[in-house]
Amino acid sequence: GAGVSQSPSNKVTEKGKDVELRCDPISGHTALYWYRQSLGQGLEFLIYFQGNSAPDKSGLPSDRFSAERTGGSVSTLTIQRTQQEDSAVYLCASSSRDRPYEQYFGPGTRLTVT
Amino acid sequence: RKEVEQDPGPFNVPEGATVAFNCTYSNSASQSFFWYRQDCRKEPKLLMSVYSSGNEDGRFTAQLNRASQYISLLIRDSKLSDSATYLCVVNPWDSNSGYALNFGKGTSLLVTP
């Protein structure tokens, strides 16, 4: 079956522009996670959705970051007024209700802010 | 202090060698433990779960010591295709972050002919 998909796969943007990253989880997966991986760093958890609800947004790096999920499916991560330190690979993962601890990752969006 | 610590390596080993990776974690409330594999410029992929009783999947053996908060991965008869970064992952649960994964920075393995 189809895995987690993300778009775009690569995004180059100028400092100060807004970007929107999209994640399509595996069909039927109720939980969705966003992570980011900066060069030479480990994966950093950003936000978690159970259904359409994100209980805690404090993991987002700054108030320029926002995320939403609609219909219990697609999620978007929006970064406003991008900065160079936002350059990273943004990864989305989803998991099922039956096996909530096993997450399947999408291929990521590689964001470069120039 | 980072919650999950791993030796970054790199580990350079010849084909056929046995190699072991270790990992320690700080959150005693962690409930689930995994090894993920990440190839260069690819997403992480689940390699195996880790259980207290120890578990084996072909050439791979994982062990968990909850008392010492220590996880290991043993790869026997290493293949060129095993070259990758191996990520130690722990998985505490809380209502705000669900089962968000805490990743180590990874251990790099290069298997040479």
Side-chain angles (χ1 to χ4, degrees), chain A residues 30-109:
Chain A
T30 54
L32 185 148
Y33 300 81
W34 284 98
Y35 299 85
R36 103 175 150 176
Q37 188 170 31
S38 305
L39 188 64
Q41 301 297 313
L43 280 96
E44 171 191 13
F45 165 69
L46 299 180
I47 192 167
Y48 150 70
F49 286 91
Q50 181 59 45
N52 293 333
S53 173
D56 180 18
K57 301 183 179 181
S58 64
L60 295 173
S62 76
D63 58 9
R64 296 183 293 103
F65 287 69
S66 62
E68 65 174 15
R69 188 179 186 197
T70 55
S73 181
V74 172
S75 176
T76 54
L77 178 68
T78 301
I79 310 173
Q80 296 179 308
R81 306 181 303 282
T82 51
Q83 303 294 312
Q84 287 186 330
E85 63 262 27
D86 300 334
S87 296
V89 177
Y90 290 82
L91 290 153
C92 172
S94 68
S95 64
S96 69
R97 190 182 299 278
D98 293 342
R99 299 179 76 84
Y101 36 81
E102 287 189 5
Q103 296 179 22
Y104 295 88
F105 282 81
T109 294

Side-chain angles (χ1 to χ4, degrees), chain B residues 9-90:
Chain B
F11 284 61
N12 292 340
V13 303
E15 256 186 304
T18 295
V19 61
F21 305 137
N22 303 316
C23 162
T24 57
Y25 63 95
S26 60
N27 186 344
S28 59
S30 299
Q31 300 178 356
S32 305
F33 308 87
F34 307 93
W35 285 99
Y36 275 72
R37 170 191 170 130
Q38 187 172 28
D39 292 285
C40 188
R41 298 178 75 88
K42 297 286 189 182
E43 73 274 21
K45 292 189 176 175
L46 178 64
L47 178 66
M48 58 196 301
S49 302
V50 188
Y51 304 113
S52 296
S53 55
N55 49 300
E56 190 173 307
D57 183 1
R59 298 181 293 109
F60 298 82
T61 301
Q63 295 275 358
L64 166 65
N65 184 321
R66 282 187 184 268
S68 303
Q69 296 182 198
Y70 172 94
I71 304 164
S72 66
L73 176 68
L74 184 77
I75 306 175
R76 290 182 301 279
D77 187 25
S78 50
K79 312 290 185 193
L80 297 177
S81 57
D82 293 335
S83 298
T85 296
Y86 290 82
L87 302 167
C88 178
V89 183
V90 303

